[in-house]
């Protein structure tokens, strides 16, 4: 097994080696799930890698009949077959996983897919025709406390609005590594996120998650798609997150960005935060989002960034932590991610009652994030 080059405290930045970013056991699709799919007929694609791929079975429901084996995939189908989401596709096949996938193995695949001549060539013209589901996801209180510490939240029994995103992130990540996903995971840009909290949820209840992708659409620099993650408790939807990702593609226009002189002056800052490279590595560990552009100088350079950049969802969480005592029990918070936050750097946070909030570079005023709470 690969080892970290630096133990905590050995260096100023705690940077991870490339091996540390991608190590981890392979997530194996259970024999029960494969048997159920094969019983329905031949797979649409021969030679599928059974240790990773669900794509060959994405057009049919993999939930097998009830079984006495509690570890078999599909024994806890949440709501049966998908029947349409608000603003989503009219119907999608549902694949019920026996548990959350392991993110490390998925990132290993994503990095492999980014290598020319080895990775898959993909340009699907629609979002994947499948949704992934998992039931009974529990909160580890020690993990929750570490997440709160890294993002600046107070320790509390109710989950922060951004925590279910982390809790269900492996399911969304699995969806984004399907061959039917419109673009490779490595190099996609997270450009926006909207979270709707319907009510507060305590840390001692299990969650059910469903993830699907929708609204693939053109963009001046490529194409965008929304990845939707829905969290439910006892059959009631209590949380919904929509992450918008941009896949940059050759041949797309450069867009019409603002000239530097046209940029409006940033709002008056209410706080300044000094960010070190540990923001990237620590958030990667608590979130499971080990994209190397956030955690490694080498990984960042491979994707065109001179330095690692902060996770967008860390930036959003840190802003909400600053507003924590003034947020209602139910609300929607939407952010747009503007320019990346390089690590290290100093950022300026501003907020006005309503709430509208923003994050800017403290020295230049360049915008990093704009958001609203309603």
């Amino acid at each position: 097994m690969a080892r970290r080059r630096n133990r905590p405290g050995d260096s100023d930045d705690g940077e991870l080696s490339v091996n540390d970013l991608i190590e981890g056991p392979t997530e194996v699709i259970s024999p029960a799930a494969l048997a159920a799919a094969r019983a329905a007929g031949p797979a649409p694609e021969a030679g599928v890698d059974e240790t990773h791929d669900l794509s060959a079975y994405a057009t049919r429901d993999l939930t097998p009949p009830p079984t006495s084996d509690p570890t078999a995939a599909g024994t806890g189908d949440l709501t049966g077959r998908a029947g349409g989401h608000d603003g989503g596709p009219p119907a999608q096949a549902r694949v019920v996983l026996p548990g959350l996938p392991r993110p490390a193995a998925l990132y290993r695949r994503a990095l492999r897919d980014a290598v020319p001549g080895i990775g898959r060539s993909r340009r699907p013209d629609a979002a994947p025709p499948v949704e992934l589901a998992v039931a009974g996801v529990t909160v580890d209180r020690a993990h929750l406390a570490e997440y709160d510490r890294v993002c600046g939240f107070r320790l509390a029994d109710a989950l922060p609005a951004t925590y279910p995103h982390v809790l269900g992130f492996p399911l969304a990540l699995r969806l984004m590594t399907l061959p039917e996903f419109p673009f490779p995971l490595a190099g996609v840009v997270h450009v926006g996120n909207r979270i709707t909290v319907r009510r507060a949820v305590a840390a001692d209840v299990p969650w059910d998650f469903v993830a699907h992708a929708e609204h693939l659409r053109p963009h001046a620099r490529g194409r965008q798609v929304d990845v939707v993650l829905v969290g439910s408790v006892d059959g009631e939807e209590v949380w919904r997150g929509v992450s918008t990702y941009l896949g940059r593609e050759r041949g797309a226009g450069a867009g019409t960005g603002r000239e530097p002189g046209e940029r409006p002056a940033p709002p008056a800052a209410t706080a300044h935060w000094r960010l070190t490279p540990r923001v990237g590595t620590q958030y990667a560990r608590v979130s499971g989002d080990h994209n190397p552009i956030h955690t490694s100088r080498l990984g960042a350079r491979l994707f065109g960034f001179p330095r690692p950049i902060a996770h967008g969802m860390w930036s959003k969480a840190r802003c909400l932590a600053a507003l924590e005592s003034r947020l209602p029990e139910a609300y929607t918070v939407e952010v747009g991610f503007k320019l990346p936050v390089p690590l290290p750097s100093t950022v300026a946070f501003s907020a006005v009652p309503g709430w509208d909030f923003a994050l800017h570079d403290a020295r230049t005023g360049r915008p990093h994030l704009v958001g609203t709470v309603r």
Side-chain angles (χ1 to χ4, degrees), residues 253-270:
T256 56
R258 287 182 182 268
E259 293 297 326
E262 297 181 63
R263 184 176 295 125
T270 56

Side-chain angles (χ1 to χ4, degrees), residues 6-359:
N6 304 309
R7 296 180 183 277
D10 287 351
S11 71
D12 290 334
D13 58 13
E15 183 180 333
L16 305 182
S17 69
V18 172
N19 283 340
D20 196 39
L21 298 175
I22 63 176
E23 69 174 0
T26 300
E27 175 71 4
V28 178
I29 304 304
S30 74
L34 289 174
R38 288 167 177 155
E45 177 183 348
V48 67
D49 175 1
E50 294 177 356
T51 64
H52 285 295
D53 278 338
L54 294 168
S55 57
Y57 313 107
T59 58
R60 52 179 67 92
D61 192 340
L62 295 197
T63 307
T67 172
S68 59
D69 179 5
T71 64
T75 59
D77 188 6
L78 306 182
T79 58
R81 199 171 180 84
H85 303 274
D86 294 340
Q92 293 171 312
R94 173 168 292 186
V95 176
V96 180
L97 304 186
L100 288 172
R102 295 181 176 91
L106 299 177
Y107 274 112
R108 182 171 60 218
R109 165 195 269 198
L111 291 177
R112 180 198 66 192
D113 283 352
V115 177
I118 297 178
R120 294 184 179 92
S121 175
R122 61 178 103 188
R123 283 186 60 87
D125 58 4
V130 63
E131 64 179 19
L132 305 183
V134 66
V137 179
T138 57
V139 174
D140 181 315
R141 287 183 178 272
H143 178 265
L144 173 61
E146 181 65 7
Y147 176 86
D148 289 343
R149 184 190 67 80
V150 170
C151 298
F153 290 106
R154 297 172 301 175
L155 295 179
D157 187 56
L159 302 184
T162 48
Y163 188 76
H165 173 88
V166 167
L167 199 60
F169 178 72
L171 193 67
L173 186 64
R174 184 67 189 89
L175 181 76
M176 295 171 69
T177 55
L178 290 175
E180 290 86 357
F181 197 74
F183 19 82
L185 178 64
V188 299
V189 181
H190 194 183
V191 296
N193 176 266
R194 182 175 70 254
I195 288 174
T196 298
V197 179
R198 304 201 184 281
R199 66 172 175 85
V201 177
D204 59 352
V205 298
W207 286 67
D208 302 335
F209 286 104
V210 178
H212 72 276
E214 63 185 29
H215 299 162
L216 179 65
R217 56 200 183 274
H219 182 273
R221 297 180 184 273
R223 291 182 296 169
Q224 288 184 339
V225 70
D226 295 333
V227 174
V228 181
L229 181 66
V230 178
S232 301
V233 172
D234 294 330
E236 174 196 3
E237 180 182 317
V238 295
W239 183 94
R240 178 178 289 251
V242 181
S243 290
T244 300
Y245 294 96
L246 168 65
R248 290 173 292 189
E249 297 175 337
R250 293 180 181 177
T256 56
R258 287 182 182 268
E259 293 297 326
E262 297 181 63
R263 184 176 295 125
T270 56
H272 288 85
W273 302 326
R274 174 64 181 170
L275 311 184
T276 72
R278 288 188 180 276
V279 166
T281 54
Q282 289 177 346
Y283 186 79
R285 291 191 184 104
V286 298
S287 68
D289 185 353
H290 286 275
N291 189 324
I293 66 175
H294 305 299
T295 55
S296 162
R297 282 188 292 266
L298 173 60
R301 288 169 184 158
L302 288 173
F303 294 102
F305 297 99
R307 290 182 282 166
I309 61 175
H311 294 73
M313 290 304 294
W314 177 87
S315 298
K316 179 173 183 174
R318 184 65 186 88
C319 291
L320 285 181
L323 298 172
E324 187 174 15
S325 62
R326 291 165 285 186
L327 296 175
E329 181 175 285
Y331 59 93
T332 293
V333 53
E334 184 165 8
V335 301
F337 301 117
K338 302 301 183 182
L339 299 175
V341 179
L343 299 173
S345 66
T346 299
V347 295
F349 170 74
S350 60
V352 295
W355 291 93
D356 294 327
F357 58 93
L359 208 59

